[in-house]
Structures are given as structure tokens and as C-alpha cells.
Amino acid sequence: MSIGSTSSAKPPGGYAGPAAATDEGKLHRSINWTGAFWVASGVPALVLFSVGGIANNTGKLAFLIWTLSMIMGFIQSFTYAEIAGLFPNKSGGASIYGAAAWVRYAKLVAPLSVWCNWFAWSPVLSLGCSIAASYMINAVAPAPTATSPAVVQWLATDGASLQMAEPDKLAAAIAAVSPGIRTWSLFQTTFGSVSLSLNVAFFIGAALMLAVFAVQHRGILGTANVQKYIGLLVIIPMFIVGVVPLLIHGVNWENFSPMVPLAVPGAPAPGTWDIAGWTLVLGSMFIAAWSTYGFETAVCYTSEFRDPAKDTFKAIFYSGVLCLALFTLVPFTFQSMLGAEGMLEPSIVDGSGVAAALAHMVGGGPIIENFLVLLMILALVLCIMTAMAGSSRTLFQGSADGWLPRYLSHVNEHGAPTRAMWTDLIFNLAILAIACADATSFFFILAVSNCGYIIFNFLNLNSAWIHRIDSAHIPRPYRAPTFVLVLGGIFAFVNVVFMGAGAKVWNPIALWAGLITAALIIPVFCYRHYVQDGGKFPTQMFEDLHVGPEEAVSRRRAGILPYVTLVAGVAVLLLSNWFFQL
């Protein structure tokens, strides 16, 4: 796989090379591929979000889930690298590039790609802030355990007369002696199985979110410079966490067999490869994809590269290599050290104790452990910055191309899309209140978010062959091997199976909530396209398609194949949802 040569003529889309002047009101061409690499370097920290949740559902298969998911994500990235190279003047990532293929066939499908990518990436802000806040709270007010002196004393005195089962009595004891900071809430309520709470974690998370916003306000160059130093402070310790325990203790191979799913989630007893077992596995592949595929955000900054023809492929390739290493190494070491029972501890499952567990695996005493916990908090801050940078640019470019409301296409004097960033911030403050409530609510948000991500993934992997057919004459700085595009098309349907079968593992209504959220783009797009723009797309959108406005929507060389693909995708989703049951 090599980068093809570029033409000396002016590339498609109007980009005139590295020395092109930056127009006022546009994103600034101020970084190369290393800048995008550092902005995307927060993606490996996404392993902290669901490493416990996946282990809770699949037990000793957890490491295999992460490995297979990461390999799929890496193969898919070559497809994204090709279509990104077609659009040197666009930001916002693969969803924007994919939308340009689908707009010729269905106006509503194109904005669906952009919207689903945004609501998949944007909740990283709230979910990351909620975990980081829980790490901070654990540092100053640790949760009592079953063996804590205060819990033992409460059971011997206040709990002695309680008539309830021992597990319930233990839970009551832990709740009774927990520090007030862990239980205080300004407001809380419940909607079905999902809760909302304005607790201490919410306010800490909100402060972190505002701090990230302040850094991003300086533009992509300032963001990349900050993330380079945070990234070094995070990536190196994550490699240490992945390697040092293996060097000290070796590999505990008994923690990797038997290779079967759990009988039921949350219990270490092994199950069988029946329909329920496969459903748990597919559910874990579904949620892992949200993390392992995420390095495609490295191509969100094409219009901010000094030389997109050279920088685009390098950015996503080297980001993928980094993620391939960390997403396989860290879960492997995690499972080797903790085993099935250790991974099923409540604080591991809900994510709040993952950093402390990783730090303890390295050893070195309390000082070293606390230092590593601090670095894991920085890792979460890094992925929060990555998410805000990428998702805000998706909103910006979606607005510039006519998919989303006009107000989102504003940038400040530093080239930062501030109105899109404010929209991200306000949306995530609402989501943060849900994510901070409890583990059930946290994984509900994660599952709904990932439904959007799988929809985006399906549309964009299939957009590559549509671009090959409709835009075969356009030079490609990087051209993926045809068999890789074929694999990407197959993976698109495999990912739909993950969603149809596996979303229910995390919440019974997650799939339907995700589909309803995806459908919200229809009135938004109709307002922008038919009310604000009078049924016409902005001129810039057609220019980036490399054709004139009249030809843009009439060139449909793929015939009925895109429509057949959409129908097949829906059929696979519904069939897998019906067949796989817990």
C-alpha cells in the first residue's frame, strides 16, 4: 500500500498547495500530519470507557474482542484515507466525504451520514468527563469496600437487626458509610431505566469541559501543540501499563481460557456458544467499535493541512498504528493481571476504578500509583480534546455544505469553529447529567451514540465504491487496493449485525433510541435545505464534488446499487435484531 504520485496541476476542489493563502472566515491551513496525529492521540484512552463493560459481558473473551475490533478498524481506515484525499478543502472527517457520494442518490441519506457521525463522537466529551470526575472523586474520597473497618462496624451494629439478604445488607452498609461527596446531588430524577443527576461528578466534569473549550478556542494549531505534550505524557505511561506488568509477572494464561462467553453478564461462570452467548459477543464487538474505529478522526482536518495530498494518508495510518498497539496491548495485560473475577468488580465495570487498577498492576507504591492515576486523567482529557476538535468540525463542514443550520459555519480569528464548539458544549452538559448518574445510564448513552457511529460507518464504507464509480476520473493522492474496499463493504454489513444483535445487550431500548436520534436530522436538514436555502445546495458543496451544479446530482453511474445496499442494510439490521436474543 503506497501513496500515489500527485499531479502538478491544481488539485480538485481549488486547493493550490501548501502556500495557499487562508481566507478570512475559513479554517486555517496550519498543521501537517503530525499535528493531526497528536490531536488523534487521545483515541487510545477510549479503552478506559468500556474495558470493564466488555469484560462484564464476555469474560475471558474480552481481549479477543478488542483485538478483532481493532484489526477491523485498521483495515477500514484505508478506505477512509482514499475518500479523504478527494476533498482537500473539506474538514469534518469521513462522514463529510461519504455524504458527497450519497447526495447524488438520496438527499436525506447524505446528511444522515454527517449527523450520525456527530452524535457518535460528541458524547465522548460528556462520557470522558464523567469518568475523569469519578477518578478525581476516588482520589479524595475513596469508596468503602466490603472489608473496610467502617463497613464491618456498621454491619456489626446498625445492620445486625436488619432482616434482608446478605448482599443487600452489605450494599446498605457501603451506602451508609460512603463519604457525602459521593452521594450528594443538587437534583436527580429517573426516566424509565435511565437516570439524571446534578451530582459532584457533574460539576467537576462541566469544569473540565469548559477548560477543554478554552484550549480549543485558540484554533487547531494551538490545540495540536497542547495535545502533543499531553499526548507524550499519556501514550508513554499507557505503554508502561501494557508492558511492565508482563515483564514483572509474566502472562497468566489461565486467565484466557476457556475461550467461551459468560453464562450471564456479571458472573464469572463460563457459558456456551449458544445464541445468548453469541449475542453477548456481538454486543461487545458493537461497543468496542466505538473506541477502536475512532482514530479515523485523524482525517477530520484535511482543510487545515498545509499539504493535504501528503498529510491525509500519513495522519490516519500512523494514528492507526498507535491504536493497533495500545488497543491490543492494554486489554491483554489488563486481563492477564486481573482475571475474570477481577474484571467483574463493580468499580471496573462502571469504569471508575479502571485507572487505579491499571496503576496498581505496575506497582511501585502509593506515590507511583497516584501519579499513574493522574496520567490516566490526562488521558481522558486528551480524548475529550480530540472529540471536541473532530465533532465541532463535523458540525462546521456540515453547515458549510448545506446539511446543518447556517449559524454553525462561523469561525473566530484563530480559525476555530466556535459556534459549533458551543453547540457541542451545551449538548454535552445535558448528556453529562445522565452519564454521571450511574453505570446503566452511562452505557445507555454509549450504546445510543454507537448506533449513530455504526450507521455512519455503513454509509461511508459503501461510499468508497460509489466514489470509485461516479468519480473515477478524479486523481487520488492515495488509492486503496480494490480488495481493501471490498473488505470494507463486507465489514459495513458485519457492523450492522453488531448493532442489530448487540445494542440490546447494553439497554433494551438502545437500538430504537439510536434510530430515533438518527431520524432527528430529517427536520433539521429540511429546514436548512428547503427553508433557508430554497431547495438549492451551496456552490461550495458542488465545487468539492469536482463537477458543476447541474451535473452533480445527475451523474449516477452506480445505478440502483446504492439503493439495493440501503435496503440490504435495513434487512440485515432487522434480521439480526430478531435472531439474536439474550
Side-chain angles (χ1 to χ4, degrees):
M1 299 179 184
S2 60
I3 304 176
S5 60
T6 58
S7 172
S8 59
K10 183 179 180 180
Y15 172 61
T22 299
D23 294 329
E24 185 178 354
K26 295 184 178 180
L27 300 177
H28 295 181
R29 292 196 181 277
S30 55
I31 60 172
N32 57 17
W33 73 267
T34 58
F37 172 86
W38 288 118
V39 175
S41 65
V43 172
L46 295 177
V47 71
L48 302 175
F49 286 56
S50 52
V51 66
I54 289 176
N56 186 64
N57 284 323
T58 56
K60 294 180 179 180
L61 288 173
F63 161 70
L64 185 61
I65 297 294
W66 285 105
T67 302
L68 293 177
S69 183
M70 187 60 238
I71 291 173
M72 285 183 64
F74 190 68
I75 293 172
Q76 291 169 179
S77 71
F78 292 96
T79 297
Y80 293 149
E82 174 174 324
I83 63 175
L86 294 171
F87 303 98
N89 288 337
K90 284 187 183 292
S91 67
S95 64
I96 300 293
Y97 319 137
W102 285 101
V103 70
R104 294 185 173 104
Y105 298 90
K107 279 188 177 181
L108 290 179
V109 172
L112 182 67
S113 173
V114 178
W115 176 260
C116 287
N117 179 250
W118 174 73
F119 85 74
W121 258 107
S122 186
V124 175
L125 277 69
S126 51
L127 297 175
C129 285
S130 70
I131 295 178
S134 69
Y135 289 175
M136 295 179 185
I137 293 172
N138 283 342
V140 299
T145 64
T147 58
S148 299
V151 172
V152 173
Q153 182 178 358
W154 190 92
L155 289 172
T157 55
D158 300 54
S161 59
L162 293 179
Q163 300 298 317
M164 60 175 63
E166 288 301 319
D168 295 334
K169 187 180 295 187
L170 178 60
I174 292 175
V177 301
S178 291
I181 192 175
R182 303 186 66 90
T183 57
W184 178 86
S185 179
L186 180 65
F187 172 79
Q188 57 186 12
T189 188
T190 300
F191 305 97
S193 61
V194 178
S195 301
L196 179 150
S197 178
L198 301 181
N199 52 20
V200 173
F202 169 82
F203 290 103
I204 294 175
L208 287 172
M209 211 178 292
L210 288 169
V212 169
F213 180 92
V215 173
Q216 303 252 334
H217 193 272
R218 299 167 55 206
I220 191 62
L221 180 60
T223 299
N225 287 335
V226 171
Q227 292 207 198
K228 175 170 64 176
Y229 298 109
I230 298 179
L232 287 172
L233 286 173
V234 169
I235 293 172
I236 294 174
M238 288 192 74
F239 272 110
I240 292 174
V241 165
V243 173
V244 169
L246 298 180
L247 295 178
I248 297 175
H249 304 286
V251 178
N252 298 316
W253 293 110
E254 64 273 15
N255 290 338
F256 296 91
S257 64
M259 297 290 284
V260 293
L262 296 177
V264 294
T272 59
W273 288 102
D274 55 8
I275 292 179
W278 274 107
T279 302
L280 290 175
V281 169
L282 294 174
S284 296
M285 289 294 292
F286 165 71
I287 218 70
W290 186 82
S291 300
T292 55
Y293 300 176
F295 68 93
E296 47 84 14
T297 190
V299 295
C300 276
Y301 317 100
T302 307
S303 68
E304 295 167 275
F305 287 145
R306 298 191 186 102
D307 190 351
K310 295 181 179 179
D311 292 329
T312 302
F313 177 83
K314 290 181 179 180
I316 193 169
F317 177 77
Y318 289 110
S319 296
V321 170
L322 172 67
C323 289
L324 188 62
L326 289 177
F327 274 118
T328 54
L329 185 60
V330 172
F332 180 85
T333 305
F334 190 77
Q335 184 169 330
S336 175
M337 293 298 297
L338 294 186
E341 293 188 3
M343 292 190 297
L344 297 181
E345 287 291 327
S347 64
I348 301 298
V349 174
D350 66 22
S352 64
V354 170
L358 292 173
H360 183 70
M361 283 159 38
V362 176
I367 295 178
I368 298 297
E369 290 184 14
N370 289 334
F371 177 69
L372 285 172
V373 169
L374 175 62
L375 292 180
M376 292 300 103
I377 293 173
L378 284 176
L380 290 168
V381 171
L382 189 64
C383 73
I384 293 164
M385 294 178 70
T386 297
M388 180 173 281
S391 61
S392 62
R393 280 155 179 80
T394 299
L395 290 179
F396 168 84
Q397 193 65 52
S399 175
D401 285 350
W403 313 121
L404 301 175
R406 287 179 179 174
Y407 85 94
L408 293 168
S409 57
H410 168 80
V411 299
N412 68 2
E413 68 275 12
H414 301 294
T418 46
R419 290 181 183 173
M421 290 163 58
W422 275 112
T423 301
D424 254 350
L425 184 69
I426 294 170
F427 169 77
N428 274 281
L429 284 174
I431 299 300
L432 181 64
I434 300 174
C436 288
D438 52 46
T440 299
S441 301
F442 177 93
F443 281 109
F444 172 77
I445 295 296
L446 184 56
V448 170
S449 169
N450 199 41
C451 286
Y453 198 56
I454 297 300
I455 295 171
F456 143 77
N457 173 276
F458 177 83
L459 294 174
N460 279 267
L461 289 175
N462 283 296
S463 75
W465 58 262
I466 298 176
H467 276 306
R468 280 277 183 100
I469 296 173
D470 286 340
S471 302
H473 62 293
I474 303 302
R476 285 158 167 78
Y478 168 75
R479 185 181 182 90
T482 301
F483 81 89
V484 172
L485 259 62
V486 172
L487 275 179
I490 295 172
F491 286 167
F493 284 93
V494 172
N495 286 319
V496 170
V497 173
F498 294 162
M499 179 171 74
K504 65 169 72 77
V505 170
W506 305 96
N507 193 285
I509 64 169
L511 175 62
W512 313 114
L515 295 177
I516 291 171
T517 304
L520 293 178
I521 187 57
I522 295 176
V524 174
F525 170 70
C526 289
Y527 171 76
R528 169 64 195 270
H529 188 64
Y530 295 105
V531 177
Q532 289 192 320
D533 293 345
K536 298 181 179 180
F537 286 104
T539 303
Q540 175 188 328
M541 195 276 282
F542 289 112
E543 290 176 348
D544 288 334
L545 282 175
H546 321 307
V547 295
E550 295 182 0
E551 188 184 357
V553 294
S554 62
R555 178 184 292 168
R556 299 174 182 172
R557 295 174 178 169
I560 66 169
L561 289 179
Y563 304 107
V564 172
T565 300
L566 291 175
V567 172
V570 173
V572 169
L573 175 70
L574 297 177
L575 183 63
S576 58
N577 181 258
W578 167 79
F579 182 79
F580 291 98
Q581 300 291 332
L582 291 174

